Amino acid sequence: MEFFLRRQNGVTVVALKGMLDASTVPIFKKEMAVLIRDRTLRLVVDLKDVGFIDSTGLGALISVLRQVHQEGGDVKLACLQERIRAVFELTRLDKVFDICTDPEEAKRRFGSK
Amino acid sequence: MNLGGADYVTKPFDKGEILARVRVHLKIRRLTLDLMGANRELQEKQARLDDDLRAAAEIQKSLLPPAFVQVPGMETAWRFIPSYRIGGDLFNLFPLDETHWGIYILDISGHGVPAAMVAVSAYQMLNSRPGYLLKKAIRPPPFYEIVSPSEVLAAVNREFPMERFDKFFTLSYLILNINDGRIRYSNAAHPPPVLLRKDGTVTLLKEGGTVIGLGEGVLFEEGEARLFPGDRLFAYTDGITEYRTWDERFFGEARFYECLQSTMHKSLKDQVDGVIDAMMAFGGHEPPPDDVSLLGIAFGGQGRNPAAGAVK
């Protein structure tokens, strides 16, 4: 799993590359914990290069969302591949997360708040 | 050198050099013994962990319905393959009263002993004794009320906030009237149970809500369906559809439904076995990385229990 961080106008885009599953979740959680500790609370997770998320991966995203919500921020998801979008629709997590077409849209939605 | 010696000295001997070499060899021996000891300890620890995992898998299996469960007018069959690293699948079916049976299937996120332990906790909660979650105790006869699927899911969701065990789960709960085949159900993000009609049509029981664990304020919608004689119902976990080949091709929903359709003329048990066998063959019989569960019910339609009262 690779991480690419990009900060712009107070919004942090975390682009992931690889599979988000039991083998990569510990690293993902650690990286996100650092961001949350540094009060990076306007987060966009870019999933363009993520082809597979299993239940552990979903759990990690939910857990990050809940922590960020508690601190008054939000996590938006962007660029979901078709298969990943289907997982979010099946689990109705598309109603729990704000899902955007791309990081630009996510940034705009943060801006309009 | 090739005769098994680790070192050799040439004549004439130098006393100082020999002593130094002997000291080196004594040190190597001590280090080797230390390493072998540490290795043995590690192996013992690993063996203990493996034993624990095996024990957890057995406990998990013991929570599944016993083979002799007989639902009046129904045929049932199931297969469960625990993953090599232990998952958190669990399913059950049990009478709620003379006319109604409860069926649930759930899948705890993650793997290992913690997932199996959360499954035990959920099992304890989803029991059918009056006064527990599935049957509310009330004053007037018959002194109980069957709780609706959406209320059950909402209650489970309140009891298992993600923060409690750092786990969430998907759950499908169905109430089946064994006399007229009516079903009320709700899914918490669980793969929708499959209703396979006698004519081969596939209907998915899709209503519900999101995963268990998000706490207050989450709604679970309820759906209804009806089984007619000859229809079959299948509940499963995503261990089937996410089973994949070494080059990352998934077994997938479409193939799963097709398998159910192409085996529909077999006995229920052969159908369940046939689907699991087809799945394992697809993935080259690699041990599944996630628990695999498939529960099938065939509705006979002549299930009227002589003791049963009027249909509610």
Side-chain angles (χ1 to χ4, degrees), chain B residues 106 108 113-123 160 165 167-169:
Chain B
L106 59 87
I108 315 279
V113 175
M117 293 299 285
V118 177
V120 173
S121 179
Y123 172 87
F160 288 89
F165 301 110
K167 295 262 175 270
F168 74 92
F169 55 99

Side-chain angles (χ1 to χ4, degrees), chain B residues 19-310:
Chain B
L19 277 176
R21 286 205 185 179
V22 168
R23 266 196 293 276
V24 165
H25 281 284
L26 283 174
K27 193 173 177 189
I28 289 177
R29 182 178 149 71
R30 206 181 59 240
L31 289 175
T32 308
L33 284 176
D34 283 356
L35 194 62
M36 280 165 66
N39 203 14
R40 213 174 15 248
E41 227 169 84
L42 260 181
Q43 277 171 354
E44 279 165 15
K45 261 193 193 142
Q46 187 58 48
R48 258 202 310 279
L49 281 177
D50 287 347
D51 282 348
D52 285 355
L53 276 182
R54 262 193 297 277
E58 281 310 311
I59 292 168
Q60 189 187 4
K61 268 194 240 170
S62 76
L63 302 178
L64 299 178
F68 55 76
V69 167
Q70 283 256 327
V71 189
M74 308 273 166
E75 206 186 320
T76 54
W78 57 84
R79 275 286 287 276
F80 168 68
I81 310 176
S83 87
Y84 58 82
R85 48 184 180 173
I86 308 292
D89 277 16
L90 179 65
F91 54 88
N92 243 309
L93 67 171
F94 40 79
L96 292 164
D97 64 15
E98 319 78 66
T99 29
H100 298 92
W101 277 64
I103 302 160
Y104 70 77
I105 185 162
L106 59 87
D107 182 359
I108 315 279
S109 68
H111 297 96
V113 175
M117 293 299 285
V118 177
V120 173
S121 179
Y123 172 87
Q124 164 63 11
M125 191 168 182
L126 292 167
N127 93 53
S128 58
R129 285 197 292 271
Y132 279 74
L133 182 61
L134 306 182
K135 274 169 90 170
K136 210 186 293 173
I138 52 167
R139 265 290 165 71
F143 310 111
Y144 68 84
E145 199 175 84
I146 296 177
V147 180
S148 76
S150 59
E151 277 179 68
V152 166
L153 264 49
V156 175
N157 187 48
R158 278 195 299 274
E159 282 301 312
F160 288 89
M162 230 182 133
E163 289 72 20
R164 196 170 155 204
F165 301 110
D166 194 27
K167 295 262 175 270
F168 74 92
F169 55 99
T170 66
L171 166 65
S172 190
Y173 179 59
L174 305 92
I175 299 173
L176 170 63
N177 181 318
I178 58 171
N179 289 339
D180 62 11
R182 284 182 196 280
I183 296 170
R184 287 170 73 191
Y185 72 91
S186 188
N187 300 317
H190 198 81
V194 180
L195 207 166
L196 181 64
R197 297 285 182 204
K198 200 180 172 183
D199 66 1
T201 319
V202 161
T203 308
L204 302 178
L205 307 188
K206 277 184 173 167
E207 296 301 321
T210 190
V211 296
I212 299 287
L214 299 190
E216 296 292 333
V218 176
L219 286 180
F220 297 95
E221 283 155 37
E222 205 167 286
E224 284 182 21
R226 189 167 180 184
L227 290 174
F228 294 97
D231 291 348
R232 292 178 177 186
L233 177 72
F234 296 91
Y236 69 102
T237 57
D238 61 7
I240 294 184
T241 45
E242 285 185 3
Y243 186 66
R244 50 191 186 270
T245 58
W246 59 272
D247 57 348
E248 299 294 324
R249 284 181 305 122
F250 289 83
F251 189 64
E253 282 83 15
R255 218 182 309 266
F256 172 58
Y257 304 151
E258 276 164 32
C259 263
L260 285 173
Q261 286 171 317
S262 66
T263 53
M264 60 178 285
H265 300 294
K266 297 186 176 188
S267 75
L268 184 70
K269 188 182 178 308
D270 286 351
Q271 186 180 25
V272 165
D273 286 342
V275 170
I276 297 295
D277 292 348
M279 179 202 88
M280 292 300 287
F282 175 81
H285 296 276
E286 283 296 313
D290 197 3
D291 285 359
V292 167
S293 302
L294 177 60
L295 166 66
I297 295 172
F299 185 53
Q302 309 108 358
R304 189 167 289 275
N305 183 331

Side-chain angles (χ1 to χ4, degrees), chain A residues 1 3 16 19-33 52-64, chain B residues 109-110 162 166-168:
Chain A
M1 165 121 310
F3 296 84
L16 306 182
M19 301 212 278
L20 190 56
D21 65 6
S23 65
T24 55
V25 154
I27 322 163
F28 173 72
K29 277 192 162 173
K30 210 177 280 173
E31 292 282 335
M32 298 308 277
F52 178 67
I53 296 186
D54 75 350
S55 61
T56 313
L58 284 181
L61 285 173
I62 297 168
S63 144
V64 167
Chain B
S109 68
M162 230 182 133
D166 194 27
K167 295 262 175 270
F168 74 92

